[in-house]
Amino acid sequence: MDKLKLIRNAVKNFEGALKRCVICPRRCGADRQSGKTGYCRAPLDPVIYSYIQHHGEEPALSGSKGSGTIFFAYCNMKCVYCQNYQFSQLDNGEKITTERLASIMLDLEKSGCHNINLVSPTHYVPQILTALEIAVREGLNIPIVYNTSGYDSPDTIKMLDGIIDIYLPDMRYSDNSMAIKYSDAPDYMKYNRSSVIEMHRQVGDLTLDSDGIAGKGLIIRLLVLPNNVSGTVQSLKFIRGRISKNAYLSIMSQYYPTFKAHNFKELSRSVEKSEYEIIVDEAFSLGLNSGWVQEYEERTDEKFLGTNIEPKNLTA
């Protein structure tokens, strides 16, 4: 079945899903179709903060022409250290129609972007599918990236089979108590790990073309947090044992204390070089050699917003 037919089927499957919203693990039941909002605060129409030809993502996504990145506002988590808090928590952004969202996707493709990179798409999946139906019908033909914090419903992810080309989830925590304390995300491990397993089932390990540009597959982001809050070693062991020894990883050192992080002593500093090196060494020791690391540099302010630190190959 071609992608357009799969999208049309998914749009039908999601009909009425926002009448009693259950598309993310919270299953809060908000009637978004009637203008009510739930935990994520997102309205019925999609809200975007910005869209750009992004050159600061992983090399396989940004390439030479950039990743066509669309930043969606609001979030189904409340991370106290969120680096995108201006639009994830403070609700800045512009409400648009699905027709406008489709037009943005097509404009990014026309500008030469290698892919369409949907940042924080979880709470807008039905609207994104409607926009994709329009855009694909009008000729959109570059990979679709699902760039998520990882607090996703496996049932929702299953309905994206054959539609999403590249999954880019975070694996933020390996301890549910940490997920609750710092992100208000109950059962994060269960939903995150089940969703990542499903993502890998759909798209497999990352495949690159002759220019090193990603066409299909899974990239797992691991944001190292200070004082082992993220439990990243345990996440690496899970990836090695349950996902794939060939999984592509993006091990990130870019954490810096922002938003409400200074209210928590354990998060009120950047990641130390030794903490980051422990994670990179563990990845190597487990035979997880595919992906990227970042050169360590102490993060102290918001000039490091996003993934703008040039990643290096894990095998370099």
Side-chain angles (χ1 to χ4, degrees), residues 75-273:
C75 187
N76 70 336
M77 296 171 68
K78 284 189 170 68
C79 300
V80 299
Y81 51 83
C82 182
Q83 295 179 357
N84 293 332
Y85 69 89
Q86 295 95 334
F87 54 94
S88 70
Q89 304 301 322
L90 301 186
D91 303 348
N92 293 309
E94 177 187 357
K95 186 183 293 188
I96 61 172
T97 64
T98 52
E99 290 81 7
R100 174 60 179 144
L101 181 56
S103 176
I104 288 169
M105 294 176 183
L106 290 165
D107 287 346
L108 289 168
E109 181 181 40
K110 288 175 184 175
S111 71
C113 292
H114 298 291
N115 47 67
I116 299 300
N117 186 347
L118 307 168
V119 179
S120 299
T122 302
H123 45 295
Y124 291 118
V125 166
Q127 298 94 322
I128 289 169
L129 288 168
T130 299
L132 277 173
E133 181 179 5
I134 298 168
V136 171
R137 188 175 65 236
E138 295 186 11
L140 184 72
N141 191 33
I142 53 178
I144 307 302
V145 182
Y146 189 92
N147 183 342
T148 171
S149 62
Y151 196 42
D152 292 282
S153 165
D155 292 335
T156 296
I157 298 300
K158 286 176 184 176
M159 296 173 74
L160 301 176
D161 193 0
I163 298 169
I164 300 300
D165 301 286
I166 300 166
Y167 282 104
L168 182 60
D170 288 342
M171 295 193 77
R172 196 75 61 81
Y173 301 104
S174 61
D175 184 329
N176 283 325
S177 67
M178 298 294 186
I180 292 171
K181 182 175 182 179
Y182 303 114
S183 298
D184 193 26
D187 292 321
Y188 180 89
M189 286 177 62
K190 177 179 78 172
Y191 290 110
N192 177 252
R193 292 182 174 189
S194 297
S195 292
V196 174
I197 288 171
E198 171 61 19
M199 292 171 185
H200 186 261
R201 184 196 69 78
Q202 292 179 21
V203 298
D205 296 323
L206 193 69
T207 57
L208 307 175
D209 67 15
S210 58
D211 295 319
I213 304 302
K216 184 177 181 180
L218 174 69
I219 302 171
I220 300 171
R221 280 182 171 168
L222 298 163
L223 176 65
V224 182
L225 298 175
N227 291 299
N228 197 35
V229 166
S230 50
T232 310
V233 167
Q234 288 70 36
S235 295
L236 288 169
K237 290 178 179 177
F238 174 82
I239 292 165
R240 179 63 176 83
R242 296 292 307 278
I243 305 298
S244 172
K245 66 179 181 179
N246 299 313
Y248 270 71
L249 310 179
S250 181
I251 304 177
M252 301 185 293
S253 64
Q254 68 195 46
Y255 174 83
Y256 64 90
T258 189
F259 194 37
K260 299 179 180 179
H262 286 287
N263 296 331
F264 299 84
K265 183 178 179 180
E266 60 274 27
L267 291 177
S268 62
R269 62 168 175 82
S270 61
V271 174
E272 294 176 353
K273 185 176 182 179

